[in-house]
């Protein structure tokens, strides 16, 4: 699975608000949608920062003018054992879990 290719610049007003809510106090100037490519629905979600242990701040947008901050609980689903990878998205997200795309940059298995 590949990542949705959509990027969104974080509007200055929302960036200021996000900084006051983000755990780290800083957010990126632009974010890429974290959902899988060709995800259901027209809303894109870019990750900004954690807000606390199990919630995170997201930038949600549907077009040039439709952009807002959204706080979501982390997706509780984990991948199959033995790895049990955590999903990097939020509960109820459209599309697949991030661990369904397979481990990133894992060397080829021994033959
Ligand atoms: Zn998207
Ligand atoms: Zn998930």
């Amino acid at each position: 699975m590949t990542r949705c290719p959509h990027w969104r610049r974080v509007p200055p007003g929302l960036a200021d608000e996000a900084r006051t809510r983000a755990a780290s106090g800083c957010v990126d100037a632009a974010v890429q949608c974290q959902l899988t490519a060709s995800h259901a629905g027209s809303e894109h979600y870019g990750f900004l920062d954690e807000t606390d242990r199990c919630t995170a701040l997201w930038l949600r947008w549907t077009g040039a003018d439709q952009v807002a901050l959204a706080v979501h609980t982390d997706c509780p689903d984990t991948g199959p054992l033995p790895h049990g990878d955590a999903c990097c998205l939020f509960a109820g997200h459209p599309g697949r879990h991030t661990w369904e795309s397979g481990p990133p940059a894992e060397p080829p298995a021994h033959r």
Side-chain angles (χ1 to χ4, degrees):
M1 291 300 294
T2 49
R3 180 86 63 81
C4 177
H6 287 263
W7 280 82
R8 185 71 167 84
R9 209 178 147 72
V10 183
L14 288 183
D16 288 344
E17 186 184 344
R19 275 185 207 101
T20 67
R21 296 166 73 174
S24 66
C26 57
V27 298
D28 293 333
V31 291
Q32 182 180 3
C33 179
Q34 297 292 301
L35 303 179
T36 44
S38 307
H39 57 78
S42 59
E43 292 184 326
H44 302 286
Y45 286 89
F47 177 81
L48 291 169
D49 196 18
E50 307 286 336
T51 52
D52 71 36
R53 199 169 53 80
C54 58
T55 59
L57 188 63
W58 295 81
L59 187 75
R60 182 186 69 205
W61 73 96
T62 55
D65 303 321
Q66 308 258 326
V67 54
L69 297 180
V71 174
H72 285 289
T73 306
D74 293 344
C75 178
D77 285 342
T78 53
L81 297 174
H83 297 297
D85 295 323
C87 178
C88 302
L89 297 169
F90 51 88
H93 62 81
R96 293 176 170 233
H97 300 294
T98 53
W99 46 258
E100 289 188 85
S101 57
E106 186 162 301
H110 296 292
R111 304 198 173 186

